[in-house]
Amino acid sequence: MAPPFIYINGYPGVGKYTIAKKLVKLLPNAKLLDNHLLIDPVAAVYDRSMPEYQWLRRRIRSSILNSIALSISLRDVTWIFTDSQSSSEVGKAAVTDYIHAAELRGSPIISIILSCATEENVLRLGAADRRGTKLRDAKILLEIRKTEDLYRFGGETEIDIDVTELRPHHAAQAIYDFVRNVSSPGKSQGVTKGTK
């Protein structure tokens, strides 16, 4: 079996990219594909409200994921993906691209759901390092949190981690430990709450 796809999902500003950068240093032969590497080229061409926006996002996403899945050169890489997908039809369609690529490659998907308290999420949204197409509008974030549920794979290879009080390196370590645990016999699932 090929190394896993580690799919980190969470609301905008929760810390997915920051934590994933720490995780990639813990895992041997790992690479990170942040969702904004897929969003930014599309946002340069279309506004999110335009009908072509989702079409082009899916084309780019599926092309890159299929390339990863079929690559002999990248066969031994553990891939870490960050995303912010809901359980809506658009979100389900996006996740389907990851599922298809994982099946093509023979990789299990390990799902990491990152959450944090609303107040902390709003504070993180305003961080100075959030640039480009990253959401910075607290009103939009609050609406998303109120109306959209995060996509969940469910099952033994999914974990919820509350990162409200976790530093990024502790969150990355919790993910690493979970990945190691579910990659060995006797899989487990759970919810992790951390401290600073």
Side-chain angles (χ1 to χ4, degrees):
M1 181 174 282
F5 280 4
I6 301 171
Y7 184 82
I8 301 175
N9 196 18
Y11 290 119
V14 79
K16 300 178 297 289
Y17 181 60
T18 302
I19 292 165
K21 286 190 299 183
K22 301 286 185 190
L23 179 61
V24 80
K25 293 177 183 176
L26 295 174
L27 290 165
N29 203 26
K31 287 185 176 256
L32 167 61
L33 184 65
D34 179 54
N35 60 320
H36 284 278
L37 292 174
L38 304 175
I39 293 170
D40 292 353
V42 179
V45 178
Y46 296 114
D47 291 333
R48 287 180 186 250
S49 61
M50 295 177 173
E52 298 92 348
Y53 177 84
Q54 288 299 337
W55 174 84
L56 185 55
R57 270 196 68 188
R58 184 144 200 205
R59 291 288 302 258
I60 290 172
R61 181 177 53 243
S62 63
S63 293
I64 290 174
L65 290 173
N66 286 339
S67 178
I68 288 169
L70 299 173
S71 173
I72 294 169
S73 303
L74 300 173
R75 185 80 184 137
D76 295 327
V77 172
T78 296
W79 282 95
I80 302 165
F81 303 101
T82 64
D83 214 345
S84 184
Q85 293 297 339
S86 72
S87 58
S88 70
E89 291 307 311
V90 170
K92 289 176 187 174
V95 172
T96 298
D97 291 337
Y98 291 91
I99 293 169
H100 175 71
E103 288 171 350
L104 271 176
R105 187 174 192 239
S107 289
I109 295 178
I110 299 175
S111 172
I112 312 298
I113 306 294
L114 297 183
S115 63
C116 73
T118 303
E119 301 78 24
E120 179 65 19
N121 198 175
V122 169
L123 284 173
R124 292 178 186 185
L125 201 70
D129 63 344
R130 288 188 63 81
R131 298 183 185 113
T133 59
K134 289 188 172 222
L135 180 67
R136 291 183 295 268
D137 187 324
K139 288 181 184 177
I140 294 173
L141 172 67
L142 293 171
E143 183 64 21
I144 289 170
R145 288 183 63 112
K146 188 168 84 173
T147 61
E148 296 181 13
D149 293 324
L150 291 172
Y151 182 89
R152 295 176 179 276
F153 288 86
E156 294 180 343
T157 59
E158 180 167 273
I159 188 171
D160 290 81
I161 303 177
D162 182 338
V163 296
T164 303
E165 297 180 18
L166 272 182
R167 292 183 184 208
H169 67 278
H170 290 132
Q173 184 66 51
I175 295 169
Y176 172 80
D177 292 343
F178 180 72
V179 168
R180 205 175 56 185
N181 186 37
V182 298
S183 297
S184 63
K187 299 176 181 177
S188 83
Q189 80 180 59
V191 176
T192 298
K193 272 195 166 228
T195 58
K196 290 184 179 177

